[in-house]
């Protein structure tokens, strides 16, 4: 096929114009062709002349001859790389492989193992996606927290209640990234995610997708058990032998995938007691910031609204005078700040968008990197203690409600007593407070400096009535469960996987790591 890159068209172009552009670049070859869009990105540097930039693959006769005739550095002959799942290994599996967790890592590991005939058993402490949605909405409305089924736990994982971003910076020579996007499309996602520069799936779409993938896994011989919390693991001579569920039932196991998610603190504690090697990991903490979406659109697009482009997004970073990095994270255009708590007496926030991204506010996390040197306790679980202390302060400050502060008051380190032009778009109750009092001094100072710096790049970003809420403490896992070159922990049969194990950061990278673990299991063990 022929790959054409750097192909530019106005934002409002038609399909016919795209096809004419391809023909023109190929110097009107005079024969029919088909094409597939591989990448679409938006160039807004000239706000009065916004353009889409495409990479397309064209299938056509005599491709070598046409490419030589065109003689253009942006036109080349290429071969399509086809993803290959490994053939089964030689070691017999005596028991079904067990996957702990049904977030992206667990679901994708399960899907590929099921397709290869391994009939995996997926254990999930929370509820099925539709039941979980009702439980979460009841929490937001009435404050009734279910510690095992909430924004963090349940079918689909923490990413289900997020902006659903699907872009990743993970290098992908094996084609796993495209596999993830293909699986999503086959489960009901729009085809555009295959090529958009910043693809996303809103919470309303993700819920249906994870249910469809569960059905696929079950149709291929896999099994799911919900409300099945893994409370212990049993080893003999350094190898896994049993898994304990809900503190009472024990099942035999030879292979176990730890796709537990970044908030499975009780599981981390259990693994630490059992001698599974772990180490503390740097992550980031901070607050959510809200602005009018129309303000972000105006700055980035040059207009308050553009139906063709949707809600604008941003990404900003700053190196502070104190040496800390502060940056935006999980930016949610047209989104909501949500109460993402999972433990009683502790409060954490996150950002979420629906597919339409049509709320009046944009929000993102303003976060600052912290390292094991900042943690109050040493050892593998020091970061967990650090998170819990911040969340305890946030819960106490808001008495269970999300504490909110205007940026102008944040800079003065004083409680806010009234809102101005911006009103919160939130899931869960909120109350005005001095959010800065939650944070370590160095984190608060870094956020103040960072927001002022971002105001020089995005007009109005540091306006006094921008809303800050907190605490954003679950940006990534505070631990890394150590694994070797075969992707095994120090216990034979235990495969740490995904974001909770410290090997991913977001939906797509977690799903890719799930595929990677499925490959490792297949290379070693025979299927049933």
């Amino acid at each position: 096929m022929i790959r054409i890159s750097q192909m530019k068209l106005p934002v409002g172009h038609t399909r016919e114009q795209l096809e004419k552009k391809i023909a023109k670049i190929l110097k009107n070859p005079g024969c029919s062709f088909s094409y597939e869009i591989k990448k679409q990105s938006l160039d807004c540097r000239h706000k009065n002349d916004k353009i889409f930039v495409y990479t397309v693959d064209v299938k056509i006769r005599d491709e070598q001859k046409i490419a030589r005739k065109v003689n253009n550095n942006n036109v080349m002959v290429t071969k399509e790389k086809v993803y290959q799942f490994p053939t089964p290994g030689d070691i017999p599996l005596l028991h079904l492989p067990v996957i702990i967790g049904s977030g992206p890592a667990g679901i994708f590991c399960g899907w590929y193992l099921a397709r290869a005939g391994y009939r995996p058993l997926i254990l999930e402490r929370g509820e099925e996606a539709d039941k979980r949605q009702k439980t979460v909405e009841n929490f937001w409305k009435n404050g009734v927290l279910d510690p095992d089924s909430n924004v963090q736990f349940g079918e689909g994982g923490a990413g289900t209640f997020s902006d659903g971003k699907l872009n990743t910076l993970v290098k992908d020579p094996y084609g796993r990234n495209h596999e993830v996007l293909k699986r999503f499309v086959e489960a009901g996602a729009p085809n555009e995610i295959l090529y958009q520069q910043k693809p996303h799936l809103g919470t309303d779409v993700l819920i249906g997708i994870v249910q469809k993938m569960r059905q696929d896994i079950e149709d291929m011989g896999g099994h799911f058990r919900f409300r099945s919390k893994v409370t212990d693991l049993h080893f003999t001579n350094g190898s896994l032998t049993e898994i304990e569920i809900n503190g009472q039932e024990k099942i035999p196991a030879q292979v176990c995938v730890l796709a537990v998610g970044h908030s499975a603190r009780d599981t981390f504690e259990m693994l630490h007691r059992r001698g599974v090697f772990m180490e503390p990991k740097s992550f980031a903490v901070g607050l959510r910031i809200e602005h009018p979406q129309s303000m972000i659109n105006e700055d980035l697009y040059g207009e308050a609204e553009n139906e063709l482009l949707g809600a604008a997004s941003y990404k900003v970073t700053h190196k502070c005078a104190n040496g800390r990095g502060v940056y935006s994270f999980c930016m949610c255009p047209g989104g909501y700040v949500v109460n993402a708590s999972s433990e009683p007496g502790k409060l954490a926030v996150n950002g979420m968008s629906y597919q339409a991204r049509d709320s009046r506010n944009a929000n993102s996390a303003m976060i600052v990197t912290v390292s094991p040197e900042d943690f109050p306790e040493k050892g593998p679980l020091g970061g967990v203690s650090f998170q819990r202390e911040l969340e305890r302060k946030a819960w106490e400050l808001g008495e269970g409600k999300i504490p909110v502060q205007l940026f102008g008051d944040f800079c003065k380190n004083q409680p806010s007593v009234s809102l101005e032009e911006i009103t919160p778009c939130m899931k869960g109750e909120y109350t005005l407070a001095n959010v800065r009092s939650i944070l370590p001094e160095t984190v608060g100072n870094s956020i103040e400096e960072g927001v002022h710096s971002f105001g020089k790049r995005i007009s109005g970003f540091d306006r006094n009535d921008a809303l800050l809420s907190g605490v954003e403490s679950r940006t990534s896992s505070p631990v890394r469960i150590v694994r070797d070159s075969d992707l095994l922990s120090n216990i034979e049969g235990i495969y740490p996987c995904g974001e909770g194990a410290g090997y991913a950061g977001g939906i797509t990278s977690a799903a890719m790591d799930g595929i990677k673990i499925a490959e490792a299991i297949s290379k070693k063990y025979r299927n049933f």
Side-chain angles (χ1 to χ4, degrees):
M1 73 184 78
I2 294 177
R3 173 161 293 176
I4 303 173
S5 56
Q6 292 297 310
M7 190 173 74
K8 300 173 182 179
L9 284 161
V11 163
H13 72 80
T14 64
R15 182 183 181 90
E16 183 182 21
Q17 288 172 318
L18 175 63
E19 292 170 354
K20 284 184 176 180
K21 183 81 169 183
I22 294 172
K24 183 178 179 181
I25 290 172
L26 297 181
K27 296 192 174 181
N28 299 309
C31 58
S32 62
F33 61 83
S34 62
Y35 67 93
E36 179 183 0
I37 299 172
K38 304 300 290 186
K39 183 179 178 182
Q40 178 201 61
S41 57
L42 177 64
D43 185 345
C44 283
R45 287 175 295 177
H46 305 289
K47 293 182 175 57
N48 293 325
D49 186 26
K50 295 182 281 289
I51 59 173
F52 281 129
V53 182
Y54 287 96
T55 298
V56 297
D57 283 351
V58 182
K59 291 185 178 179
I60 192 170
R61 295 197 317 268
D62 300 324
E63 57 189 34
Q64 296 281 357
K65 180 180 177 182
I66 289 171
R68 286 195 300 269
K69 177 183 175 183
V70 171
N71 191 25
N72 184 326
N73 289 336
N74 292 324
V75 178
M76 64 180 66
V77 176
T78 185
K79 269 191 174 181
E80 186 174 9
K81 185 174 178 61
V82 179
Y83 171 78
Q84 294 288 336
F85 191 79
T87 55
D90 298 323
I91 300 175
L93 267 175
L94 305 178
H95 311 288
L96 299 179
V98 177
I99 299 169
I100 304 176
S102 66
I107 287 177
F108 274 81
C109 184
W111 196 96
Y112 281 82
L113 285 178
R115 189 178 66 169
Y118 290 87
R119 296 160 38 205
L121 169 61
I122 301 177
L123 302 175
E124 170 56 57
R125 68 193 293 168
E127 297 171 294
E128 299 94 322
D130 53 345
K131 294 179 182 177
R132 177 191 181 198
Q133 183 179 23
K134 293 175 183 176
T135 299
V136 169
E137 289 174 349
N138 182 54
F139 168 60
W140 288 336
K141 182 179 180 181
N142 300 312
V144 180
L145 175 67
D146 183 332
D148 288 320
S149 191
N150 47 59
V151 171
Q152 307 297 342
F153 301 131
E155 185 178 24
T160 303
F161 294 94
S162 72
D163 184 55
K165 288 180 178 59
L166 300 180
N167 51 305
T168 177
L169 299 178
V170 175
K171 293 182 179 179
D172 182 38
Y174 301 101
R176 299 186 190 110
N177 189 348
H178 192 63
E179 281 291 296
V180 170
L181 298 179
K182 278 171 55 181
R183 295 284 82 78
F184 278 135
V185 170
E186 289 177 2
N191 191 67
E192 289 79 7
I193 69 168
L194 293 172
Y195 57 78
Q196 288 175 331
Q197 182 183 20
K198 297 178 180 180
H200 96 108
L201 295 171
T203 289
D204 46 338
V205 174
L206 274 165
I207 287 172
I209 287 172
V210 298
Q211 290 176 305
K212 176 62 167 64
M213 291 192 71
R214 184 220 313 167
Q215 184 63 57
D216 289 345
I217 291 169
E218 290 174 336
D219 289 346
M220 292 185 291
H223 314 269
F224 280 77
R225 287 183 56 179
F226 295 97
R227 291 292 189 184
S228 297
K229 179 179 174 180
V230 172
T231 47
D232 208 351
L233 300 175
H234 297 278
F235 314 134
T236 300
N237 298 324
S239 296
L240 175 70
T241 55
E242 281 186 330
I243 295 174
E244 180 186 279
I245 303 171
N246 295 333
Q248 47 191 15
E249 179 187 0
K250 292 183 177 68
I251 61 171
Q254 184 179 359
V255 168
C256 176
V257 179
L258 296 176
V260 297
H262 60 40
S263 293
R265 294 165 174 173
D266 48 3
T267 305
F268 296 152
E269 290 167 349
M270 177 271 290
L271 294 171
H272 185 47
R273 287 196 309 271
R274 282 298 184 187
V276 175
F277 290 169
M278 292 189 292
E279 56 192 21
K281 184 175 76 63
S282 296
F283 56 102
V285 298
L287 305 171
R288 281 269 148 189
I289 190 165
E290 289 184 83
H291 301 94
Q293 182 63 52
S294 58
M295 185 197 88
I296 303 299
N297 292 349
E298 188 71 51
D299 187 87
L300 297 178
Y301 292 162
E303 51 189 328
E305 189 173 350
N306 186 308
E307 187 177 337
L308 294 172
L309 300 178
S313 64
Y314 60 80
K315 184 177 182 180
V316 286
T317 64
H318 174 70
K319 182 69 174 290
C320 294
N322 62 16
R324 302 267 178 170
V326 57
Y327 55 99
S328 60
F329 172 80
C330 186
M331 195 270 153
C332 298
Y336 297 85
V337 176
V338 305
N339 190 329
S341 305
S342 62
E343 291 184 330
K346 297 175 181 64
L347 187 144
V349 298
N350 193 15
M352 183 191 91
S353 296
Y354 295 113
Q355 186 70 17
R357 286 177 164 174
D358 57 359
S359 91
R360 63 182 177 274
N361 287 353
N363 76 74
S364 70
M366 294 282 103
I367 53 175
V368 179
T369 304
V370 293
S371 66
E373 289 72 31
D374 297 303
F375 303 159
E377 298 179 11
K378 301 307 174 187
L381 302 180
V384 173
S385 298
F386 184 81
Q387 289 176 328
R388 280 176 163 157
E389 178 61 16
L390 291 176
E391 293 172 17
R392 180 190 63 78
K393 289 180 178 179
W395 193 91
E396 291 177 351
L397 181 64
E399 296 180 337
K401 300 177 183 178
I402 299 172
V404 176
Q405 185 177 26
L406 276 66
F407 179 63
D409 292 326
F410 181 86
C411 295
K412 297 173 184 176
N413 199 12
Q414 66 184 26
S416 292
V417 295
S418 64
L419 299 171
E420 295 182 15
E421 182 182 334
I422 307 172
T423 56
C425 287
M426 288 189 171
K427 299 290 186 178
E429 291 189 277
Y430 67 87
T431 185
L432 294 175
N434 182 4
V435 179
R436 189 165 189 158
S437 67
I438 300 169
L439 304 172
E441 183 178 3
T442 185
V443 173
N445 292 343
S446 298
I447 290 174
E448 179 179 349
E449 181 182 332
V451 172
H452 280 308
S453 172
F454 303 150
K456 297 174 183 176
R457 298 179 229 175
I458 299 175
S459 179
F461 199 91
D462 58 348
R463 55 193 284 175
N464 284 336
D465 64 344
L467 299 179
L468 293 167
S469 56
V471 63
E472 177 93 17
S473 52
R474 311 284 185 95
T475 56
S476 66
S477 182
V479 305
R480 177 171 286 109
I481 306 173
V482 179
R483 66 190 191 191
D484 62 18
S485 58
D486 294 323
L487 309 185
L488 281 162
S489 79
N490 61 304
I491 305 298
E492 180 66 32
I494 299 288
Y495 288 87
C497 179
E499 189 162 350
Y503 296 96
I507 292 172
T508 302
S509 60
M512 290 168 64
D513 201 56
I515 297 174
K516 188 175 180 180
I517 294 295
E519 293 168 357
I521 293 170
S522 179
K523 289 175 184 176
K524 187 169 185 175
Y525 296 98
R526 290 206 306 263
N527 56 18
F528 286 87

